Amino acid sequence: WAIMSYLGRLSYNYESKYLLSMNIRADGSSKLAPSGRWGYFPSVSAAWRISSEEFMSDLTWLNDLKIRAGWGQTGNQDGLGDYAYLERYDFNRIEWWKTGQADAVPTYSQVSLSSQDLTWETTTQSNIGFDAMLLHNRLTINADYYFKRTRNMLMWVTLPAGSAAVSSIQRNEGEMTNQGIELSLSSKNLVG
């Protein structure tokens, strides 16, 4: 199987105070059907270093304060077999009379069904947060709120008994949402 990717990035930094970054990624995978083979995944992030503003200059206990936000998408095709969208068969030989001779009957059986609408599992995530350094860089605080939604999840779906020669098919079926707060606090208690 093969995968091909292209990536473009544009960044802007004004006096380390106003920061902007934009990305676009294009991924193509042979594991997916030609109609859904390519996925396009953009992202953007921005930050404002408030501590560099003139109105913050009197706060001697605050060394650095940055507010940031981001939005982006990523694609996933892990867990798919090679050329997973194709209908596949397995060919074998079965000894007919078990006489120990090389007389065998060729047989074939269906291994997988065609899944022509397989496409990229896509995760979209948004976050907003801040980073702060206090008390002569001895205390660091990082906080984030994130919201993440995954669509077109790649899942094995069980088929009704007797509907096909196989018992399941891999499809884009699921959706999942996660959200939460991440908080990190670290300190340098002894400074030499």
Side-chain angles (χ1 to χ4, degrees):
W1 68 278
I3 188 166
M4 180 181 284
S5 299
Y6 298 97
L7 176 67
R9 181 176 187 144
L10 178 65
S11 294
Y12 177 76
N13 179 339
Y14 181 74
E15 296 182 352
S16 294
K17 192 187 303 186
Y18 308 108
L19 310 164
L20 179 67
S21 180
M22 294 183 287
N23 301 294
I24 181 74
R25 182 176 174 130
D27 292 316
S29 172
S30 66
K31 293 182 177 186
L32 300 167
S35 61
R37 183 160 289 165
W38 284 92
Y40 303 94
F41 309 107
S43 65
V44 62
S45 63
W48 176 29
R49 182 164 277 116
I50 300 173
S51 56
S52 295
E53 296 291 349
E54 186 66 32
F55 62 85
M56 300 288 283
S57 61
D58 293 338
L59 299 177
T60 57
W61 55 271
L62 179 66
N63 303 105
D64 190 31
L65 177 62
K66 180 171 64 174
I67 295 176
R68 53 189 164 67
W71 175 91
Q73 292 185 325
T74 57
N76 177 36
Q77 46 95 47
D78 287 340
L80 288 176
D82 299 346
Y83 304 96
Y85 65 95
L86 295 174
E87 185 173 353
R88 293 178 300 154
Y89 293 87
D90 191 11
F91 292 92
N92 287 311
R93 294 177 64 85
I94 297 176
E95 292 182 24
W96 186 250
W97 298 106
K98 298 277 186 192
T99 60
Q101 299 177 4
D103 298 330
V105 176
T107 63
Y108 72 94
S109 59
Q110 192 172 25
V111 176
S112 67
L113 295 173
S114 174
S115 190
Q116 292 291 323
D117 56 351
L118 272 180
T119 189
W120 288 88
E121 178 180 295
T122 303
T123 299
T124 303
Q125 182 167 330
S126 303
N127 69 298
I128 188 166
F130 72 89
D131 303 315
M133 295 183 82
L134 315 166
L135 308 173
H136 304 289
N137 296 327
R138 292 182 63 140
L139 184 63
T140 303
I141 303 170
N142 305 97
D144 270 296
Y145 167 76
Y146 68 90
F147 183 84
K148 182 163 79 169
R149 174 171 283 150
T150 303
R151 294 185 178 174
N152 294 324
M153 290 178 66
L154 296 166
M155 304 178 76
W156 284 99
V157 177
T158 303
L159 299 172
S163 64
V166 295
S167 61
S168 61
I169 186 171
Q170 200 164 17
R171 296 195 312 211
N172 296 97
E173 280 292 319
E175 184 173 315
M176 181 172 57
T177 301
N178 295 309
Q179 62 181 332
I181 295 173
E182 293 180 351
L183 182 62
S184 170
L185 179 65
S186 61
S187 67
K188 295 180 184 176
N189 296 323
L190 302 172
V191 178

